[in-house]
Amino acid sequence: GAVVSQHPSWVICKSGTSVKIECRSLDFQATTMFWYRQFPKQSLMLMATSNEGSKATYEQGVEKDKFLINHASLTLSTLTVTSAHPEDSSFYICSARSVQANYGYTFGSGTRLTVV
Amino acid sequence: QKEVEQNSGPLSVPEGAIASLNCTYSDRGSQSFFWYRQYSGKSPELIMSIYSNGDKEDGRFTAQLNKASQYVSLLIRDSQPSDSATYLCAVKGGNQFYFGTGTSLTVIP
């Protein structure tokens, strides 16, 4: 089946530093990757849609200069949280659609970010 | 109005019972419907997809779709404690993909 590999699984960083999260589609090509954020006991919130070879599309209220998305190949998309602050602490999840998942979303394992 | 609505629960059922999870959606043109299970601290995993009116069964899970009434449901038969999780309904219409807020299910041993 479709697998999306995401790492790191968890990261603790100091306030003001940047953190990069990677997502790779292992057995399929993901022309589009979606990035979500989930706060405790809340639903998934779409942050941005990452398209291979073009600029990402950000949802309203998401700062594109703070959350840098790069989708340089058909199997790799990265999210960089720049100048992280404690309020950025959250669970970040990437996903992509695949034929193997009946065109549903296959999710990465998520990244738990804690900014101290 | 939210695109996809679910009762947040929590829904509690005894072990062995049938758990019924419901979801309504607003876009009548939606074509694809999905149920995901999310354990605490983990990312969602796809359980079932359904595209046509009626029932679709997969093991202990049955998805039901009624496009006229704009609802989709998930039945879990012979519920097990390991089924305790949050269940997310997702609806795709056109190029948009919307998730509900999820229903928390607890199966009591």
Side-chain angles (χ1 to χ4, degrees):
Chain A
V3 177
V4 174
S5 174
Q6 181 175 350
H7 75 270
S9 298
W10 60 271
V11 58
I12 301 173
C13 70
K14 291 184 177 181
S15 186
T17 62
S18 297
V19 174
K20 179 185 282 188
I21 302 170
E22 291 190 352
C23 271
R24 295 178 183 273
S25 56
L26 297 186
D27 49 1
F28 66 102
Q29 293 181 334
T31 55
T32 303
M33 195 82 81
F34 303 89
W35 288 93
Y36 291 85
R37 180 168 53 184
Q38 188 176 37
F39 292 105
K41 299 190 184 301
Q42 294 188 23
S43 185
L44 299 168
M45 293 179 58
L46 180 64
M47 297 175 65
T49 301
S50 162
N51 299 294
E52 186 268 336
S54 64
K55 291 183 178 180
T57 302
Y58 290 82
E59 296 300 300
Q60 190 173 8
V62 178
E63 300 174 57
K64 61 181 180 180
D65 293 331
K66 180 172 183 62
F67 299 98
L68 302 179
I69 291 174
N70 184 281
H71 196 153
S73 75
L74 288 171
T75 59
L76 174 63
S77 177
T78 62
L79 168 68
T80 301
V81 183
T82 64
S83 186
H85 289 92
E87 58 264 31
D88 298 323
S89 299
S90 186
F91 191 46
Y92 292 85
I93 313 172
C94 63
S95 72
R97 294 181 63 212
S98 68
V99 173
Q100 293 95 323
N102 297 318
Y103 293 101
Y105 280 22
T106 296
F107 288 87
S109 54
T111 298
R112 175 74 59 192
L113 171 63
T114 301
V115 184
V116 297
Chain B
Q1 181 183 5
K2 292 182 180 179
E3 298 288 345
V4 180
E5 298 211 36
Q6 293 181 256
N7 186 328
S8 62
L11 173 66
S12 295
V13 299
E15 183 175 356
I18 296 176
S20 178
L21 306 163
N22 299 311
C23 170
T24 59
Y25 59 94
S26 61
D27 184 357
R28 189 171 286 278
S30 299
Q31 297 295 319
S32 308
F33 307 87
F34 305 85
W35 281 101
Y36 289 83
R37 175 175 62 198
Q38 185 177 24
Y39 292 110
S40 180
K42 303 294 184 181
S43 64
E45 56 180 327
L46 180 66
I47 298 175
M48 291 191 69
S49 57
I50 186 168
Y51 309 97
S52 304
N53 279 326
D55 295 0
K56 179 181 178 182
E57 186 175 317
D58 184 0
R60 296 187 294 112
F61 299 97
T62 299
Q64 299 174 318
L65 175 61
N66 185 321
K67 290 185 178 181
S69 301
Q70 294 176 240
Y71 84 78
V72 57
S73 63
L74 179 70
L75 301 178
I76 306 175
R77 292 183 299 281
D78 188 23
S79 296
Q80 302 296 310
S82 58
D83 294 327
S84 298
T86 296
Y87 289 81
L88 302 170
C89 170
V91 174
K92 182 179 181 297
N95 293 324
Q96 296 297 319
F97 203 95
Y98 300 97
F99 284 94
T101 54
T103 298
S104 175
L105 171 67
T106 300
V107 180
I108 303 170

